[in-house]
């Protein structure tokens, strides 16, 4: 049957482009027609074809079919089997390239081609699997949170109702085990049959009242051949209820020794599991507390000046270019640039830095931060989803939804876990019927139900995502953003941390130290020519030279033909003279003799200063010396890395002498100096000897290739730009102690995950055999299904509680956050 889909295409700029796209797609098997639209940057395709294959054809034609990300909120998932089932149906939707489902956050992150109407199809796919879903947008987050709060409240009411109905059943049946006289008195007063009928009524009310949710989810899952935890509960509780119903109303169908009831088991199973679900829901809410706090930083309204009138408007109505007024103590509404006023802003909730930051006209401010005690006006520069806070929230959500490599083994187990448990339960019943003591049927029923009930795929499904959620959320509070969840696992295995020097280990703002002129050269003239040549350069060293010229009142002539010589310096023509400013290797390349200034340069390099030479028309004019101050946080960060057993390296374009002097002062283990901009990737490879895992720390702009080439790229954020595509981890401030804290957090999260996984697997491995009755031949011990239900509920609570301990993680360096 022919279908029509509309696919977004980037890169089409003219009619020839649309024609090429149409021709390429029309030749694709299964396609009967293709119509490209330049105005909407899309192509409509008729026929039956795989969208991913179409995207490949578009790419081959020189264009791009972009990948979108859709976030879904999903309700009804209870265990790892549910996660696997939802992922399976999402991945089957044509156009989906990747789907990751998170049990802890009850969400899914789906990457897919830009196909019109595809998000709605994702929702339909989830609903077809028996779960509820809705697309989550920035504006619908509050609605989703409110809906989950309502569900949690409803679950609490269900627990109370189930407990009220179960308590009489439990007392009637189990009270006699504690006080035998009570049992004889009650049966003598009421009679066995009326008592059992009353238990039947109450238990039925529990199963098909508060417990109906298990049937609504578990029965369809069974019928679809994909049983989950709900299915196990339904089978266990229904078996106990069904057997007891027969024993009550048709006892003649059973041997006399087997005419007993287990209504209390069925009722208590449902009640305890409901209680576990309620406690689990409360704990899940705490795992996402960090995200909720970030969302809570967003202002609801803003005071905007339009036509000379200041009025308060909803945040959604603020547009780029609006002038906003900020009163003392108020939260900044959107990202902007200060126009008037002078104040100090608390940016700790964004950067993790506890010290307020001074803001004056021209400075950038970030939405979500808090103003001090002075009023400001500012112009909106980024609004809505483009603000730094919105980017942070998206990054944290995507990291929390990621799957770590360690999860792969868990996924393989969970795919077969529930069917295996059902098989073990059936085998348990058969063994008890074959070789068990009398009453065999009763023993077989109890053991089979216990196996079904005690098995806990929930704990396995929660083990990894809960730790990731809490860990990445805590990282965001500390100013550490994990752009990809798997960076958590990669970072904990790092054995070498390589730093770029300028702007990473140092302040990135070199200061002028001195100028030594060549014999017969006027020092002011040499500085004037150098400053004129550097005037259009954005390099930090150029700023130091220009500031020195300005302080001396030098007048600069505009330079012509300025050419940056990557890794060497620059050349320009100033007043008709060919001027060179750069490193010693530039002078050597041009054949310019350095004379005694070469020795002076060596002396300055030994102090960690950077020597530069100025030449004009082939003649050396002067030696300029600049120094980039080491950040105060660099020495303690390096010392802490050494304490963690991590080797520290520095990669720099500086001369070897300068680099070695800085390394000696800081205690850096390895130095790779005189590296040209394109050589950092090769330098990283040289550090990989012995298969060591490497993290590279750089500024995220000039260092993009090295950040991408490292096992983990850590970018030093500017505070106003966190979308560093090449990096897996972004530090919101330039404080290198964040590197130490990120590695420590990574190790703690992975340790927490391993603890959770050990508990989840050890619990099931140890208690399923006990529930089956392996201890009975030795000590006559069997496990009550009621105890099994309690143990199953507690196993999930243990995993969640263990993950929540990560909320208490404190920075190794940098004080409390």
């Amino acid at each position: 049957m022919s279908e029509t889909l509309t696919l977004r295409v980037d890169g089409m700029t003219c009619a020839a482009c649309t024609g090429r796209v149409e021709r390429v797609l029309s030749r694709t098997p299964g396609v009967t027609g293709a119509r490209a639209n330049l105005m909407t940057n899309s192509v409509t395709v008729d026929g039956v074809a795989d969208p991913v294959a179409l995207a490949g054809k578009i790419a081959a034609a020189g264009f791009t079919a972009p990948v979108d990300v859709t976030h879904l909120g999903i309700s009804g998932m209870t265990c790892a089997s549910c996660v696997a089932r939802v992922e399976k149906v999402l991945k089957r939707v044509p156009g989906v390239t990747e789907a990751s489902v998170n049990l802890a956050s009850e969400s899914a992150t789906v990457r897919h081609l830009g196909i019109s109407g595809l998000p709605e199809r994702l929702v339909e796919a989830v609903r077809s699997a028996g779960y509820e879903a809705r697309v989550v947008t920035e504006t619908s987050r509050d609605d989703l949170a409110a809906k989950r709060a309502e569900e949690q409240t409803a679950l609490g009411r269900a627990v109370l109702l189930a407990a009220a109905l179960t308590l009489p059943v439990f007392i009637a049946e189990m009270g006699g085990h504690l006080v035998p006289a009570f049992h004889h008195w009650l049966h003598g007063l009421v009679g066995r049959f009326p008592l059992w009928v009353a238990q039947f009524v109450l238990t039925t009310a529990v199963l098909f009242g508060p417990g109906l949710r298990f049937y609504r989810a578990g029965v369809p899952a069974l019928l679809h051949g994909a049983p989950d935890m709900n299915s196990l509960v339904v089978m266990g509780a229904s078996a106990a209820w069904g057997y007891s119903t027969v024993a009550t109303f048709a006892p003649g169908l059973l041997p006399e020794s087997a005419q007993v009831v287990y209504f209390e088991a069925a009722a208590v199973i449902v009640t305890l599991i409901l209680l576990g679900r309620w406690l689990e829901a409360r704990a899940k809410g705490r795992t996402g507390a960090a995200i909720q706090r970030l969302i809570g930083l967003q202002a609801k309204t803003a005071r905007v000046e339009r036509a000379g009138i200041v009025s308060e408007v909803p945040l959604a109505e603020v547009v780029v270019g609006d002038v906003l007024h900020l009163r003392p103590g108020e939260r900044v509404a959107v990202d902007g640039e200060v126009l008037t006023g002078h104040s100090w802003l608390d940016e700790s909730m964004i950067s993790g830095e506890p010290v307020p930051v001074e803001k004056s006209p021209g400075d950038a401010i970030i939405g979500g931060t808090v103003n001090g005690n002075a009023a400001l006006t500012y112009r909106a520069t980024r609004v809505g989803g483009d603000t730094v806070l919105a980017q942070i929230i998206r990054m944290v959500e995507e990291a929390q939804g990621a799957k770590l490599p360690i999860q792969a083994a868990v996924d393989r187990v969970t795919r077969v876990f529930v069917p295996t448990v059902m098989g073990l339960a059936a085998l348990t019943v058969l063994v008890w019927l074959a070789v068990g003591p009398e009453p065999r049927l009763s023993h077989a029923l109890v053991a089979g139900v216990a196996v079904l009930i005690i098995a806990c795929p929930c704990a396995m499904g929660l083990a990894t995502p809960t730790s990731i959620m809490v860990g990445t959320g805590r990282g965001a509070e500390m100013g550490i953003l994990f752009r990809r969840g798997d960076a958590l696992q990669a970072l904990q295995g790092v054995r070498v941390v390589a730093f770029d020097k300028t702007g990473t280990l140092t302040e990135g703002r070199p200061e002028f130290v001195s100028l030594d002129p060549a014999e017969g050269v006027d020092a002011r003239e040499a500085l004037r020519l150098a400053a004129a040549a550097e005037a259009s350069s954005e390099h930090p060293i150029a700023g130091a030279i220009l500031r020195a010229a300005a302080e001396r009142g030098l007048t600069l002539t505009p330079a012509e033909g300025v050419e940056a010589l990557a890794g060497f310096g620059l050349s320009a023509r100033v007043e008709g003279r060919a001027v060179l400013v750069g490193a010693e290797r530039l002078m050597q390349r041009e054949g310019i003799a350095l004379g005694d200034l070469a020795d002076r340069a060596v002396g300055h390099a030994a102090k960690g200063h950077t020597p530069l030479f100025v030449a004009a028309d082939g003649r050396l004019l002067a030696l300029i010396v600049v120094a980039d101050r080491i950040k105060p946080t660099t020495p303690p960060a390096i010392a802490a890395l050494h304490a963690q057993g991590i080797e520290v390296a520095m990669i720099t374009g500086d001369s070897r002498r300068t680099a070695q002097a800085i390394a000696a002062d800081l205690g850096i283990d390895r130095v790779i100096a005189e590296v040209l901009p394109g050589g950092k990737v090769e330098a990283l490879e040289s550090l990989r000897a012995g298969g060591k895992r490497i993290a590279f720390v750089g500024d995220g702009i000039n260092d993009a290739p090295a950040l991408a080439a490292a096992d983990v790229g850590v970018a030093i954020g500017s505070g106003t730009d966190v979308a560093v595509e090449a990096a897996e981890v972004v530090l919101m401030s330039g404080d290198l102690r964040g590197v130490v804290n990120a590695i420590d957090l990574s190790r703690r999260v992975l340790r927490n995950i391993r603890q959770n996984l050990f508990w989840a697997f050890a619990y099931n491995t140890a208690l399923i055999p006990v529930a089956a009755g392996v201890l009975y031949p030795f000590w006559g011990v069997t496990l009550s299904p009621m105890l099994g239900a309690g143990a199953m509920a507690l196993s999930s609570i243990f995993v969640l509680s263990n993950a929540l301990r990560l909320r208490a993680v404190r920075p190794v360096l940098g004080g409390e956050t």
Side-chain angles (χ1 to χ4, degrees):
M1 186 170 116
S2 180
E3 297 178 355
T4 299
L5 65 85
T6 301
L7 189 64
R8 203 165 73 254
V9 180
D10 287 348
M12 296 190 299
T13 58
C14 60
C17 298
T18 59
R20 190 155 78 244
V21 170
E22 289 173 353
R23 285 193 299 274
V24 167
L25 294 181
S26 296
R27 296 172 188 156
T28 304
V31 173
T32 59
R35 301 174 300 284
N37 189 320
L38 186 60
M39 296 298 294
T40 60
N41 288 317
S42 64
V43 60
T44 301
V45 181
D46 299 323
V48 180
D50 179 13
V52 176
L54 297 178
K57 296 288 186 180
I58 291 170
F63 306 98
T64 305
V67 174
D68 291 342
V69 178
T70 294
H71 298 282
L72 300 176
I74 302 175
S75 58
M77 296 189 300
T78 56
C79 63
S81 297
C82 300
V83 170
R85 188 175 174 194
V86 173
E87 281 187 353
K88 187 176 181 181
V89 296
L90 286 174
K91 289 176 179 177
R92 284 179 178 171
V93 177
V96 170
T97 59
E98 183 183 349
S100 177
V101 178
N102 190 312
L103 178 60
S105 62
E106 298 179 308
S107 64
T109 301
V110 186
R111 297 182 183 277
H112 56 83
L113 297 173
I115 299 174
S116 177
L118 196 139
E120 291 74 17
R121 286 181 229 170
L122 297 176
V123 170
E124 291 172 7
V126 174
R127 287 175 177 166
S128 71
Y131 307 92
E132 277 301 312
R134 62 188 298 184
V135 176
V136 179
T137 62
E138 291 186 18
T139 55
S140 68
R141 279 198 186 99
D142 290 343
D143 294 340
L144 185 62
K147 185 174 184 295
R148 286 177 176 167
E150 289 175 8
E151 290 173 353
Q152 185 175 319
T153 301
L155 193 55
R157 288 197 295 265
V159 171
L160 291 176
L161 177 59
L165 294 170
T166 298
L167 188 61
V169 179
F170 181 82
I171 292 174
E173 192 61 34
M174 301 303 294
H177 292 278
L178 301 175
V179 183
F182 172 79
H183 175 79
H184 295 300
W185 171 80
L186 185 63
H187 277 254
L189 179 67
V190 180
R192 189 179 80 166
F193 180 72
L195 188 62
W196 284 6
V197 170
Q199 291 184 41
F200 164 78
V201 171
L202 291 172
T203 303
T204 302
V206 171
L207 265 63
F208 301 103
L212 187 60
R213 67 190 66 222
F214 297 117
Y215 286 86
R216 284 175 174 164
V219 173
L222 273 173
L223 296 177
H224 283 93
D228 58 11
M229 196 200 80
N230 293 302
S231 306
L232 296 180
V233 174
V234 166
M235 292 175 66
S238 297
W241 175 83
Y243 180 93
S244 302
T245 300
V246 171
T248 301
F249 296 106
L253 298 176
L254 301 173
E256 186 175 349
S257 61
Q259 293 176 11
V260 293
V261 295
Y262 297 99
F263 285 123
E264 85 288 351
V268 170
I269 285 170
V270 169
T271 301
L272 285 179
I273 293 176
L274 281 172
L275 176 62
R277 289 271 180 91
W278 179 70
L279 293 173
E280 184 181 309
R282 286 172 55 87
K284 280 181 181 178
R286 292 198 294 274
T287 64
I291 275 286
Q292 294 306 314
R293 280 195 290 271
L294 285 171
I295 293 171
L297 295 179
Q298 295 174 317
K300 303 299 182 186
T301 61
R303 298 178 68 242
V304 180
E305 179 182 337
R306 290 172 181 160
I309 300 174
V310 178
S311 58
E312 192 163 325
V313 303
L315 192 65
E317 295 181 12
V318 179
V319 298
V320 172
D322 273 345
V323 175
L324 292 87
H325 288 244
L326 184 65
R327 290 178 291 202
E330 280 188 337
R331 196 174 294 281
V332 179
V334 297
D335 296 356
E337 180 183 330
V338 177
L339 297 176
T340 63
H342 180 279
S343 187
W344 296 79
L345 266 65
D346 179 4
E347 297 184 345
S348 59
M349 64 289 296
I350 300 292
S351 66
E353 293 289 336
V355 180
V357 180
E358 185 178 8
K359 298 295 180 181
S360 300
D363 289 339
I365 58 177
I366 304 171
T369 56
V370 178
N371 187 23
N373 57 4
L376 295 175
T377 62
Y378 64 101
R379 178 181 291 108
T381 56
R382 286 188 286 201
V383 301
D386 295 330
T387 63
V388 169
L389 182 57
Q391 292 179 55
I392 291 173
I393 292 170
R394 280 199 301 272
M395 288 168 64
V396 175
E397 284 180 333
E398 289 187 17
Q400 290 183 341
K403 284 200 173 184
L404 272 60
I406 196 172
Q407 180 71 21
V410 181
D411 289 343
R412 287 194 293 271
V413 172
T414 55
R415 276 194 288 268
V416 299
F417 181 79
V418 173
T420 301
V421 169
M422 293 171 63
L424 289 173
L427 180 62
T428 298
V429 170
L430 292 175
V431 170
W432 276 95
L433 289 175
V435 299
E438 294 294 343
R440 292 182 181 181
L441 187 57
S442 295
H443 281 303
L445 174 71
V446 170
V449 170
V451 169
L452 289 172
I453 296 303
I454 205 166
C456 188
C458 302
M460 289 189 285
L462 292 168
T464 301
T466 49
S467 297
I468 294 174
M469 282 188 69
V470 180
T472 53
R474 183 67 188 116
E477 293 173 338
M478 294 163 59
I480 303 165
L481 302 179
F482 290 91
R483 292 191 67 250
R484 296 211 326 251
D486 54 6
L488 268 171
Q489 184 165 343
L491 195 58
Q492 61 93 32
V494 163
R495 293 295 171 263
V496 179
V497 175
F499 290 94
D500 176 51
K501 182 184 81 74
T502 303
T504 303
L505 294 173
T506 65
E507 297 284 4
R509 192 176 187 273
E511 295 296 335
F512 183 87
V513 175
S514 65
L515 184 148
D516 296 333
E519 187 176 350
V521 176
D522 179 67
R524 289 174 61 85
E525 177 66 9
L527 179 57
R528 188 180 70 84
L529 290 173
E534 294 277 5
S536 62
S537 173
E538 295 181 357
H539 197 283
I541 288 178
I545 294 174
L546 289 168
R547 287 191 296 273
E551 289 168 3
R552 290 159 179 76
L554 300 179
T555 302
L556 307 183
T557 302
E560 299 176 344
V562 178
E563 182 182 359
L565 308 172
F568 289 88
L570 63 74
S571 65
R573 295 198 69 80
V574 180
E575 299 171 353
R577 304 178 69 182
V579 178
L580 295 174
V581 183
E584 180 179 348
R585 53 182 174 267
L586 175 60
M587 301 298 133
Q588 292 173 343
R589 192 182 77 173
E590 299 297 325
I592 297 173
L594 301 179
D596 62 348
L597 291 184
D599 294 332
R600 297 185 197 179
V602 171
H604 284 292
K607 299 176 185 177
H609 298 165
T610 300
L612 301 167
F613 296 92
V614 183
D617 297 329
R619 179 194 173 196
L620 183 68
L621 297 182
L623 165 68
I624 293 178
V625 180
V626 298
D628 195 359
R629 191 164 63 92
I630 299 295
K631 291 178 181 177
T633 58
T634 296
I638 291 175
L641 288 172
H642 283 150
Q644 292 182 353
I646 295 173
E647 185 179 353
V648 180
M650 179 176 71
I651 300 175
T652 177
D654 271 349
S655 69
R656 189 169 303 280
R657 295 186 189 93
T658 299
Q660 288 174 341
I662 294 172
D665 287 343
L666 295 175
I668 291 173
D669 304 299
R670 297 182 65 178
V671 177
I672 304 177
E674 300 179 359
V675 177
L676 299 180
K680 290 182 180 179
V681 173
E682 185 178 341
L684 284 177
E685 291 302 321
S686 69
L687 294 172
R688 253 188 243 275
K692 293 179 180 176
R693 183 168 291 173
I694 295 177
F696 178 76
V697 185
D699 63 15
I701 303 170
N702 300 324
D703 298 321
L707 287 168
D711 295 299
V712 182
V714 181
I716 301 293
S718 65
T720 57
D721 185 9
V722 298
V724 185
E725 293 297 328
E728 288 90 1
V729 182
V730 178
L731 305 182
M732 284 298 295
S733 74
D735 190 338
L736 291 186
R737 293 177 296 186
V739 177
V740 181
N741 294 331
I743 293 174
D744 177 70
L745 179 63
S746 169
R747 291 178 174 179
R748 289 175 182 269
V749 170
L750 264 294
R751 183 163 60 244
N752 192 272
I753 288 173
R754 292 188 184 101
Q755 291 167 352
N756 284 346
L757 290 175
F758 173 79
W759 168 260
F761 282 102
Y763 162 87
N764 283 292
T765 302
L767 291 188
I768 288 177
V770 173
V774 295
L775 299 181
Y776 187 84
F778 306 101
W779 296 288
V781 175
T782 59
L783 186 67
S784 165
M786 292 184 290
L787 292 177
M792 187 192 73
L794 288 175
S795 68
S796 296
I797 302 304
F798 175 88
V799 166
L800 285 161
S801 300
N802 188 49
L804 286 170
R805 292 191 305 114
L806 292 170
R807 295 169 65 188
V809 170
R810 292 289 177 265
V812 178
L813 295 175
E816 296 294 313
T817 300

